[in-house]
Amino acid sequence: MKKLVSMCITIIMVMALSVTAFAADNTPKAGEASPQATAPPITSVKIESGYYLEESHWYPHLIGHYIVPVRIMGYGSVIATFNGESVTSYESEGILGPGNVAVGWVYHYDCGKPLPGEYVFEVKARGWQSVNVIRATDTITIP
């Protein structure tokens, strides 16, 4: 019994050390670029026509909500507001370029169930390697 416990502890220690060594191999070495450094910068932001979500197998709790798609070319961080309130993207789809590599994203923002009226939707995007902020603003009329 003592040999079995000793062998199990040895196996666990070897596995723990191999996981640590594997994780260390994934870090960029001196002179190599990180994945963020090689990602294309954000070049454009486009607010597309919004719509009411009528059906969804994946997001049934969002049925009846007003959704605004935003097309971003490049990689970075994105912040969106609807009538001055922060909104979050509940889903995104990659925009594929040559070699089936994502060159951008379409984010779908949940704006809730707004009352009829005019609302300002604003997006601010900044590439990972850039200090420039690209903005897009649209006035949305809800009937």
PDB file of all heavy atoms in Angstrom, residues 102-136:
ATOM      1  N   ALA A 102      -9.314  35.298 -38.903  1.00  0.00           N
ATOM      2  CA  ALA A 102     -10.203  36.405 -38.564  1.00  0.00           C
ATOM      3  C   ALA A 102      -9.448  37.732 -38.682  1.00  0.00           C
ATOM      4  O   ALA A 102      -8.380  37.902 -38.100  1.00  0.00           O
ATOM      5  CB  ALA A 102     -10.752  36.236 -37.156  1.00  0.00           C
ATOM      6  N   VAL A 103     -10.004  38.648 -39.462  1.00  0.00           N
ATOM      7  CA  VAL A 103      -9.416  39.973 -39.646  1.00  0.00           C
ATOM      8  C   VAL A 103     -10.270  41.047 -38.995  1.00  0.00           C
ATOM      9  O   VAL A 103      -9.922  42.215 -39.001  1.00  0.00           O
ATOM     10  CB  VAL A 103      -9.199  40.296 -41.143  1.00  0.00           C
ATOM     11  CG1 VAL A 103      -8.168  39.372 -41.749  1.00  0.00           C
ATOM     12  CG2 VAL A 103     -10.513  40.230 -41.911  1.00  0.00           C
ATOM     13  N   GLY A 104     -11.395  40.634 -38.434  1.00  0.00           N
ATOM     14  CA  GLY A 104     -12.299  41.556 -37.768  1.00  0.00           C
ATOM     15  C   GLY A 104     -13.431  40.789 -37.113  1.00  0.00           C
ATOM     16  O   GLY A 104     -13.462  39.554 -37.144  1.00  0.00           O
ATOM     17  N   TRP A 105     -14.364  41.547 -36.535  1.00  0.00           N
ATOM     18  CA  TRP A 105     -15.457  40.934 -35.783  1.00  0.00           C
ATOM     19  C   TRP A 105     -16.739  41.725 -35.972  1.00  0.00           C
ATOM     20  O   TRP A 105     -16.711  42.945 -36.154  1.00  0.00           O
ATOM     21  CB  TRP A 105     -15.118  40.915 -34.294  1.00  0.00           C
ATOM     22  CG  TRP A 105     -13.843  40.207 -34.017  1.00  0.00           C
ATOM     23  CD1 TRP A 105     -12.588  40.766 -33.934  1.00  0.00           C
ATOM     24  CD2 TRP A 105     -13.663  38.802 -33.860  1.00  0.00           C
ATOM     25  NE1 TRP A 105     -11.656  39.779 -33.719  1.00  0.00           N
ATOM     26  CE2 TRP A 105     -12.283  38.573 -33.659  1.00  0.00           C
ATOM     27  CE3 TRP A 105     -14.529  37.722 -33.855  1.00  0.00           C
ATOM     28  CZ2 TRP A 105     -11.765  37.299 -33.471  1.00  0.00           C
ATOM     29  CZ3 TRP A 105     -14.002  36.463 -33.645  1.00  0.00           C
ATOM     30  CH2 TRP A 105     -12.638  36.256 -33.458  1.00  0.00           C
ATOM     31  N   VAL A 106     -17.869  41.016 -35.921  1.00  0.00           N
ATOM     32  CA  VAL A 106     -19.171  41.666 -35.840  1.00  0.00           C
ATOM     33  C   VAL A 106     -19.684  41.366 -34.434  1.00  0.00           C
ATOM     34  O   VAL A 106     -19.899  40.213 -34.068  1.00  0.00           O
ATOM     35  CB  VAL A 106     -20.166  41.140 -36.897  1.00  0.00           C
ATOM     36  CG1 VAL A 106     -21.534  41.786 -36.698  1.00  0.00           C
ATOM     37  CG2 VAL A 106     -19.648  41.398 -38.298  1.00  0.00           C
ATOM     38  N   TYR A 107     -19.822  42.431 -33.630  1.00  0.00           N
ATOM     39  CA  TYR A 107     -20.331  42.296 -32.262  1.00  0.00           C
ATOM     40  C   TYR A 107     -21.817  42.619 -32.269  1.00  0.00           C
ATOM     41  O   TYR A 107     -22.250  43.554 -32.950  1.00  0.00           O
ATOM     42  CB  TYR A 107     -19.607  43.265 -31.330  1.00  0.00           C
ATOM     43  CG  TYR A 107     -18.142  42.982 -31.168  1.00  0.00           C
ATOM     44  CD1 TYR A 107     -17.189  43.672 -31.911  1.00  0.00           C
ATOM     45  CD2 TYR A 107     -17.704  42.016 -30.280  1.00  0.00           C
ATOM     46  CE1 TYR A 107     -15.842  43.416 -31.766  1.00  0.00           C
ATOM     47  CE2 TYR A 107     -16.353  41.746 -30.120  1.00  0.00           C
ATOM     48  CZ  TYR A 107     -15.424  42.452 -30.869  1.00  0.00           C
ATOM     49  OH  TYR A 107     -14.089  42.195 -30.729  1.00  0.00           O
ATOM     50  N   HIS A 108     -22.595  41.885 -31.491  1.00  0.00           N
ATOM     51  CA  HIS A 108     -24.029  42.123 -31.377  1.00  0.00           C
ATOM     52  C   HIS A 108     -24.318  42.662 -29.978  1.00  0.00           C
ATOM     53  O   HIS A 108     -24.130  41.957 -28.984  1.00  0.00           O
ATOM     54  CB  HIS A 108     -24.811  40.825 -31.624  1.00  0.00           C
ATOM     55  CG  HIS A 108     -24.602  40.282 -33.000  1.00  0.00           C
ATOM     56  ND1 HIS A 108     -25.407  40.612 -34.054  1.00  0.00           N
ATOM     57  CD2 HIS A 108     -23.654  39.456 -33.507  1.00  0.00           C
ATOM     58  CE1 HIS A 108     -24.977  40.000 -35.141  1.00  0.00           C
ATOM     59  NE2 HIS A 108     -23.902  39.302 -34.828  1.00  0.00           N
ATOM     60  N   TYR A 109     -24.769  43.930 -29.909  1.00  0.00           N
ATOM     61  CA  TYR A 109     -25.000  44.597 -28.632  1.00  0.00           C
ATOM     62  C   TYR A 109     -26.481  44.558 -28.264  1.00  0.00           C
ATOM     63  O   TYR A 109     -27.344  44.884 -29.078  1.00  0.00           O
ATOM     64  CB  TYR A 109     -24.508  46.046 -28.689  1.00  0.00           C
ATOM     65  CG  TYR A 109     -23.007  46.124 -28.659  1.00  0.00           C
ATOM     66  CD1 TYR A 109     -22.272  46.168 -29.835  1.00  0.00           C
ATOM     67  CD2 TYR A 109     -22.317  46.112 -27.455  1.00  0.00           C
ATOM     68  CE1 TYR A 109     -20.892  46.211 -29.813  1.00  0.00           C
ATOM     69  CE2 TYR A 109     -20.937  46.154 -27.416  1.00  0.00           C
ATOM     70  CZ  TYR A 109     -20.233  46.205 -28.600  1.00  0.00           C
ATOM     71  OH  TYR A 109     -18.869  46.241 -28.571  1.00  0.00           O
ATOM     72  N   ASP A 110     -26.750  44.170 -27.025  1.00  0.00           N
ATOM     73  CA  ASP A 110     -28.104  44.103 -26.480  1.00  0.00           C
ATOM     74  C   ASP A 110     -28.448  45.462 -25.878  1.00  0.00           C
ATOM     75  O   ASP A 110     -27.833  45.891 -24.909  1.00  0.00           O
ATOM     76  CB  ASP A 110     -28.171  43.004 -25.415  1.00  0.00           C
ATOM     77  CG  ASP A 110     -29.504  42.981 -24.673  1.00  0.00           C
ATOM     78  OD1 ASP A 110     -30.484  43.549 -25.178  1.00  0.00           O
ATOM     79  OD2 ASP A 110     -29.542  42.385 -23.584  1.00  0.00           O
ATOM     80  N   CYS A 111     -29.448  46.130 -26.462  1.00  0.00           N
ATOM     81  CA  CYS A 111     -29.865  47.447 -25.984  1.00  0.00           C
ATOM     82  C   CYS A 111     -31.154  47.372 -25.174  1.00  0.00           C
ATOM     83  O   CYS A 111     -31.794  48.405 -24.922  1.00  0.00           O
ATOM     84  CB  CYS A 111     -30.026  48.398 -27.169  1.00  0.00           C
ATOM     85  SG  CYS A 111     -28.489  48.657 -28.064  1.00  0.00           S
ATOM     86  N   GLY A 112     -31.561  46.185 -24.804  1.00  0.00           N
ATOM     87  CA  GLY A 112     -32.764  46.036 -23.981  1.00  0.00           C
ATOM     88  C   GLY A 112     -34.035  46.243 -24.784  1.00  0.00           C
ATOM     89  O   GLY A 112     -34.084  45.993 -25.986  1.00  0.00           O
ATOM     90  N   LYS A 113     -35.066  46.720 -24.085  1.00  0.00           N
ATOM     91  CA  LYS A 113     -36.370  46.976 -24.710  1.00  0.00           C
ATOM     92  C   LYS A 113     -36.681  48.466 -24.591  1.00  0.00           C
ATOM     93  O   LYS A 113     -37.444  48.888 -23.730  1.00  0.00           O
ATOM     94  CB  LYS A 113     -37.457  46.149 -24.029  1.00  0.00           C
ATOM     95  CG  LYS A 113     -37.275  44.653 -24.185  1.00  0.00           C
ATOM     96  CD  LYS A 113     -38.394  43.884 -23.514  1.00  0.00           C
ATOM     97  CE  LYS A 113     -38.223  42.394 -23.711  1.00  0.00           C
ATOM     98  NZ  LYS A 113     -39.310  41.634 -23.085  1.00  0.00           N
ATOM     99  N   PRO A 114     -36.081  49.276 -25.481  1.00  0.00           N
ATOM    100  CA  PRO A 114     -36.265  50.723 -25.378  1.00  0.00           C
ATOM    101  C   PRO A 114     -37.678  51.158 -25.774  1.00  0.00           C
ATOM    102  O   PRO A 114     -38.342  50.510 -26.589  1.00  0.00           O
ATOM    103  CB  PRO A 114     -35.232  51.281 -26.349  1.00  0.00           C
ATOM    104  CG  PRO A 114     -35.022  50.196 -27.343  1.00  0.00           C
ATOM    105  CD  PRO A 114     -35.225  48.905 -26.599  1.00  0.00           C
ATOM    106  N   LEU A 115     -38.118  52.255 -25.176  1.00  0.00           N
ATOM    107  CA  LEU A 115     -39.395  52.872 -25.548  1.00  0.00           C
ATOM    108  C   LEU A 115     -39.208  53.588 -26.891  1.00  0.00           C
ATOM    109  O   LEU A 115     -38.083  53.898 -27.283  1.00  0.00           O
ATOM    110  CB  LEU A 115     -39.819  53.871 -24.477  1.00  0.00           C
ATOM    111  CG  LEU A 115     -40.112  53.279 -23.092  1.00  0.00           C
ATOM    112  CD1 LEU A 115     -40.331  54.382 -22.077  1.00  0.00           C
ATOM    113  CD2 LEU A 115     -41.308  52.341 -23.160  1.00  0.00           C
ATOM    114  N   PRO A 116     -40.304  53.881 -27.605  1.00  0.00           N
ATOM    115  CA  PRO A 116     -40.171  54.621 -28.865  1.00  0.00           C
ATOM    116  C   PRO A 116     -39.475  55.962 -28.633  1.00  0.00           C
ATOM    117  O   PRO A 116     -39.678  56.616 -27.610  1.00  0.00           O
ATOM    118  CB  PRO A 116     -41.619  54.825 -29.317  1.00  0.00           C
ATOM    119  CG  PRO A 116     -42.368  53.694 -28.679  1.00  0.00           C
ATOM    120  CD  PRO A 116     -41.689  53.471 -27.354  1.00  0.00           C
ATOM    121  N   GLY A 117     -38.617  56.333 -29.580  1.00  0.00           N
ATOM    122  CA  GLY A 117     -37.889  57.596 -29.471  1.00  0.00           C
ATOM    123  C   GLY A 117     -36.572  57.539 -30.217  1.00  0.00           C
ATOM    124  O   GLY A 117     -36.289  56.589 -30.953  1.00  0.00           O
ATOM    125  N   GLU A 118     -35.756  58.584 -30.026  1.00  0.00           N
ATOM    126  CA  GLU A 118     -34.438  58.645 -30.660  1.00  0.00           C
ATOM    127  C   GLU A 118     -33.368  58.399 -29.607  1.00  0.00           C
ATOM    128  O   GLU A 118     -33.427  58.957 -28.505  1.00  0.00           O
ATOM    129  CB  GLU A 118     -34.218  60.001 -31.326  1.00  0.00           C
ATOM    130  CG  GLU A 118     -34.968  60.146 -32.620  1.00  0.00           C
ATOM    131  CD  GLU A 118     -34.480  61.345 -33.431  1.00  0.00           C
ATOM    132  OE1 GLU A 118     -33.750  62.201 -32.896  1.00  0.00           O
ATOM    133  OE2 GLU A 118     -34.839  61.404 -34.617  1.00  0.00           O
ATOM    134  N   TYR A 119     -32.389  57.587 -29.976  1.00  0.00           N
ATOM    135  CA  TYR A 119     -31.307  57.218 -29.070  1.00  0.00           C
ATOM    136  C   TYR A 119     -29.979  57.342 -29.805  1.00  0.00           C
ATOM    137  O   TYR A 119     -29.911  57.106 -31.003  1.00  0.00           O
ATOM    138  CB  TYR A 119     -31.476  55.780 -28.579  1.00  0.00           C
ATOM    139  CG  TYR A 119     -32.754  55.552 -27.818  1.00  0.00           C
ATOM    140  CD1 TYR A 119     -33.922  55.173 -28.469  1.00  0.00           C
ATOM    141  CD2 TYR A 119     -32.791  55.718 -26.443  1.00  0.00           C
ATOM    142  CE1 TYR A 119     -35.099  54.964 -27.770  1.00  0.00           C
ATOM    143  CE2 TYR A 119     -33.957  55.507 -25.727  1.00  0.00           C
ATOM    144  CZ  TYR A 119     -35.110  55.128 -26.399  1.00  0.00           C
ATOM    145  OH  TYR A 119     -36.274  54.934 -25.698  1.00  0.00           O
ATOM    146  N   VAL A 120     -28.938  57.682 -29.071  1.00  0.00           N
ATOM    147  CA  VAL A 120     -27.594  57.769 -29.648  1.00  0.00           C
ATOM    148  C   VAL A 120     -26.835  56.502 -29.269  1.00  0.00           C
ATOM    149  O   VAL A 120     -26.744  56.149 -28.084  1.00  0.00           O
ATOM    150  CB  VAL A 120     -26.849  59.016 -29.140  1.00  0.00           C
ATOM    151  CG1 VAL A 120     -25.412  59.029 -29.650  1.00  0.00           C
ATOM    152  CG2 VAL A 120     -27.584  60.279 -29.565  1.00  0.00           C
ATOM    153  N   PHE A 121     -26.311  55.827 -30.289  1.00  0.00           N
ATOM    154  CA  PHE A 121     -25.479  54.640 -30.085  1.00  0.00           C
ATOM    155  C   PHE A 121     -24.061  55.039 -30.458  1.00  0.00           C
ATOM    156  O   PHE A 121     -23.818  55.529 -31.563  1.00  0.00           O
ATOM    157  CB  PHE A 121     -25.952  53.480 -30.964  1.00  0.00           C
ATOM    158  CG  PHE A 121     -25.276  52.178 -30.650  1.00  0.00           C
ATOM    159  CD1 PHE A 121     -25.795  51.333 -29.691  1.00  0.00           C
ATOM    160  CD2 PHE A 121     -24.120  51.806 -31.303  1.00  0.00           C
ATOM    161  CE1 PHE A 121     -25.169  50.125 -29.383  1.00  0.00           C
ATOM    162  CE2 PHE A 121     -23.480  50.610 -31.018  1.00  0.00           C
ATOM    163  CZ  PHE A 121     -24.013  49.765 -30.046  1.00  0.00           C
ATOM    164  N   GLU A 122     -23.113  54.855 -29.538  1.00  0.00           N
ATOM    165  CA  GLU A 122     -21.730  55.254 -29.781  1.00  0.00           C
ATOM    166  C   GLU A 122     -20.788  54.085 -29.494  1.00  0.00           C
ATOM    167  O   GLU A 122     -20.972  53.343 -28.541  1.00  0.00           O
ATOM    168  CB  GLU A 122     -21.333  56.438 -28.905  1.00  0.00           C
ATOM    169  CG  GLU A 122     -19.922  56.918 -29.156  1.00  0.00           C
ATOM    170  CD  GLU A 122     -19.534  58.120 -28.313  1.00  0.00           C
ATOM    171  OE1 GLU A 122     -20.129  58.333 -27.248  1.00  0.00           O
ATOM    172  OE2 GLU A 122     -18.612  58.828 -28.727  1.00  0.00           O
ATOM    173  N   VAL A 123     -19.774  53.953 -30.343  1.00  0.00           N
ATOM    174  CA  VAL A 123     -18.763  52.910 -30.192  1.00  0.00           C
ATOM    175  C   VAL A 123     -17.390  53.570 -30.198  1.00  0.00           C
ATOM    176  O   VAL A 123     -17.122  54.453 -31.021  1.00  0.00           O
ATOM    177  CB  VAL A 123     -18.840  51.880 -31.341  1.00  0.00           C
ATOM    178  CG1 VAL A 123     -17.769  50.817 -31.174  1.00  0.00           C
ATOM    179  CG2 VAL A 123     -20.200  51.252 -31.417  1.00  0.00           C
ATOM    180  N   LYS A 124     -16.537  53.158 -29.263  1.00  0.00           N
ATOM    181  CA  LYS A 124     -15.148  53.596 -29.228  1.00  0.00           C
ATOM    182  C   LYS A 124     -14.287  52.344 -29.275  1.00  0.00           C
ATOM    183  O   LYS A 124     -14.474  51.428 -28.483  1.00  0.00           O
ATOM    184  CB  LYS A 124     -14.846  54.369 -27.947  1.00  0.00           C
ATOM    185  CG  LYS A 124     -15.642  55.640 -27.795  1.00  0.00           C
ATOM    186  CD  LYS A 124     -15.367  56.284 -26.455  1.00  0.00           C
ATOM    187  CE  LYS A 124     -16.293  57.448 -26.220  1.00  0.00           C
ATOM    188  NZ  LYS A 124     -16.144  57.989 -24.859  1.00  0.00           N
ATOM    189  N   ALA A 125     -13.345  52.311 -30.205  1.00  0.00           N
ATOM    190  CA  ALA A 125     -12.477  51.142 -30.359  1.00  0.00           C
ATOM    191  C   ALA A 125     -11.023  51.598 -30.419  1.00  0.00           C
ATOM    192  O   ALA A 125     -10.703  52.617 -31.020  1.00  0.00           O
ATOM    193  CB  ALA A 125     -12.846  50.376 -31.623  1.00  0.00           C
ATOM    194  N   ARG A 126     -10.163  50.810 -29.763  1.00  0.00           N
ATOM    195  CA  ARG A 126      -8.728  51.115 -29.763  1.00  0.00           C
ATOM    196  C   ARG A 126      -7.965  49.821 -29.996  1.00  0.00           C
ATOM    197  O   ARG A 126      -8.200  48.823 -29.320  1.00  0.00           O
ATOM    198  CB  ARG A 126      -8.299  51.719 -28.427  1.00  0.00           C
ATOM    199  CG  ARG A 126      -6.850  52.167 -28.403  1.00  0.00           C
ATOM    200  CD  ARG A 126      -6.466  52.755 -27.065  1.00  0.00           C
ATOM    201  NE  ARG A 126      -6.438  51.765 -26.013  1.00  0.00           N
ATOM    202  CZ  ARG A 126      -5.436  50.919 -25.790  1.00  0.00           C
ATOM    203  NH1 ARG A 126      -4.380  50.924 -26.570  1.00  0.00           N
ATOM    204  NH2 ARG A 126      -5.486  50.061 -24.792  1.00  0.00           N
ATOM    205  N   GLY A 127      -7.078  49.828 -30.987  1.00  0.00           N
ATOM    206  CA  GLY A 127      -6.262  48.652 -31.277  1.00  0.00           C
ATOM    207  C   GLY A 127      -5.310  48.342 -30.134  1.00  0.00           C
ATOM    208  O   GLY A 127      -4.949  49.220 -29.351  1.00  0.00           O
ATOM    209  N   TRP A 128      -4.896  47.095 -30.035  1.00  0.00           N
ATOM    210  CA  TRP A 128      -4.009  46.682 -28.954  1.00  0.00           C
ATOM    211  C   TRP A 128      -2.695  47.439 -28.955  1.00  0.00           C
ATOM    212  O   TRP A 128      -2.124  47.703 -27.916  1.00  0.00           O
ATOM    213  CB  TRP A 128      -3.733  45.189 -29.043  1.00  0.00           C
ATOM    214  CG  TRP A 128      -4.863  44.345 -28.581  1.00  0.00           C
ATOM    215  CD1 TRP A 128      -5.866  44.712 -27.718  1.00  0.00           C
ATOM    216  CD2 TRP A 128      -5.127  43.005 -28.937  1.00  0.00           C
ATOM    217  NE1 TRP A 128      -6.734  43.678 -27.524  1.00  0.00           N
ATOM    218  CE2 TRP A 128      -6.291  42.604 -28.261  1.00  0.00           C
ATOM    219  CE3 TRP A 128      -4.486  42.100 -29.752  1.00  0.00           C
ATOM    220  CZ2 TRP A 128      -6.830  41.340 -28.378  1.00  0.00           C
ATOM    221  CZ3 TRP A 128      -5.029  40.834 -29.865  1.00  0.00           C
ATOM    222  CH2 TRP A 128      -6.187  40.464 -29.183  1.00  0.00           C
ATOM    223  N   GLN A 129      -2.173  47.765 -30.105  1.00  0.00           N
ATOM    224  CA  GLN A 129      -0.870  48.422 -30.201  1.00  0.00           C
ATOM    225  C   GLN A 129      -0.995  49.897 -30.597  1.00  0.00           C
ATOM    226  O   GLN A 129      -0.068  50.464 -31.150  1.00  0.00           O
ATOM    227  CB  GLN A 129       0.006  47.684 -31.227  1.00  0.00           C
ATOM    228  CG  GLN A 129       0.245  46.227 -30.904  1.00  0.00           C
ATOM    229  CD  GLN A 129       0.987  46.050 -29.596  1.00  0.00           C
ATOM    230  OE1 GLN A 129       1.898  46.778 -29.283  1.00  0.00           O
ATOM    231  NE2 GLN A 129       0.555  45.072 -28.809  1.00  0.00           N
ATOM    232  N   SER A 130      -2.139  50.519 -30.314  1.00  0.00           N
ATOM    233  CA  SER A 130      -2.363  51.885 -30.761  1.00  0.00           C
ATOM    234  C   SER A 130      -2.913  52.737 -29.620  1.00  0.00           C
ATOM    235  O   SER A 130      -3.571  52.237 -28.723  1.00  0.00           O
ATOM    236  CB  SER A 130      -3.376  51.889 -31.919  1.00  0.00           C
ATOM    237  OG  SER A 130      -3.703  53.199 -32.271  1.00  0.00           O
ATOM    238  N   VAL A 131      -2.631  54.019 -29.690  1.00  0.00           N
ATOM    239  CA  VAL A 131      -3.220  54.956 -28.731  1.00  0.00           C
ATOM    240  C   VAL A 131      -4.413  55.673 -29.365  1.00  0.00           C
ATOM    241  O   VAL A 131      -5.149  56.364 -28.672  1.00  0.00           O
ATOM    242  CB  VAL A 131      -2.184  55.990 -28.230  1.00  0.00           C
ATOM    243  CG1 VAL A 131      -1.099  55.308 -27.428  1.00  0.00           C
ATOM    244  CG2 VAL A 131      -1.597  56.778 -29.387  1.00  0.00           C
ATOM    245  N   ASN A 132      -4.592  55.528 -30.676  1.00  0.00           N
ATOM    246  CA  ASN A 132      -5.688  56.184 -31.383  1.00  0.00           C
ATOM    247  C   ASN A 132      -7.011  55.484 -31.104  1.00  0.00           C
ATOM    248  O   ASN A 132      -7.087  54.259 -31.143  1.00  0.00           O
ATOM    249  CB  ASN A 132      -5.434  56.203 -32.885  1.00  0.00           C
ATOM    250  CG  ASN A 132      -4.201  57.009 -33.233  1.00  0.00           C
ATOM    251  OD1 ASN A 132      -3.832  57.939 -32.524  1.00  0.00           O
ATOM    252  ND2 ASN A 132      -3.536  56.644 -34.299  1.00  0.00           N
ATOM    253  N   VAL A 133      -8.039  56.269 -30.852  1.00  0.00           N
ATOM    254  CA  VAL A 133      -9.383  55.741 -30.629  1.00  0.00           C
ATOM    255  C   VAL A 133     -10.212  56.059 -31.862  1.00  0.00           C
ATOM    256  O   VAL A 133     -10.251  57.195 -32.324  1.00  0.00           O
ATOM    257  CB  VAL A 133     -10.030  56.372 -29.374  1.00  0.00           C
ATOM    258  CG1 VAL A 133     -11.463  55.926 -29.222  1.00  0.00           C
ATOM    259  CG2 VAL A 133      -9.214  56.022 -28.136  1.00  0.00           C
ATOM    260  N   ILE A 134     -10.847  55.030 -32.410  1.00  0.00           N
ATOM    261  CA  ILE A 134     -11.744  55.214 -33.553  1.00  0.00           C
ATOM    262  C   ILE A 134     -13.162  55.219 -33.006  1.00  0.00           C
ATOM    263  O   ILE A 134     -13.556  54.313 -32.266  1.00  0.00           O
ATOM    264  CB  ILE A 134     -11.557  54.096 -34.589  1.00  0.00           C
ATOM    265  CG1 ILE A 134     -10.138  54.127 -35.139  1.00  0.00           C
ATOM    266  CG2 ILE A 134     -12.579  54.230 -35.713  1.00  0.00           C
ATOM    267  CD1 ILE A 134      -9.817  53.016 -36.105  1.00  0.00           C
ATOM    268  N   ARG A 135     -13.936  56.247 -33.361  1.00  0.00           N
ATOM    269  CA  ARG A 135     -15.303  56.393 -32.870  1.00  0.00           C
ATOM    270  C   ARG A 135     -16.312  56.296 -33.999  1.00  0.00           C
ATOM    271  O   ARG A 135     -16.030  56.700 -35.124  1.00  0.00           O
ATOM    272  CB  ARG A 135     -15.492  57.749 -32.188  1.00  0.00           C
ATOM    273  CG  ARG A 135     -14.652  57.960 -30.989  1.00  0.00           C
ATOM    274  CD  ARG A 135     -14.782  59.391 -30.497  1.00  0.00           C
ATOM    275  NE  ARG A 135     -13.804  59.648 -29.458  1.00  0.00           N
ATOM    276  CZ  ARG A 135     -14.111  59.907 -28.209  1.00  0.00           C
ATOM    277  NH1 ARG A 135     -15.359  59.974 -27.853  1.00  0.00           N
ATOM    278  NH2 ARG A 135     -13.173  60.121 -27.326  1.00  0.00           N
ATOM    279  N   ALA A 136     -17.466  55.780 -33.662  1.00  0.00           N
ATOM    280  CA  ALA A 136     -18.590  55.781 -34.589  1.00  0.00           C
ATOM    281  C   ALA A 136     -19.840  56.092 -33.770  1.00  0.00           C
ATOM    282  O   ALA A 136     -20.001  55.584 -32.655  1.00  0.00           O
ATOM    283  CB  ALA A 136     -18.744  54.434 -35.278  1.00  0.00           C
TER     284      ALA A 136
END
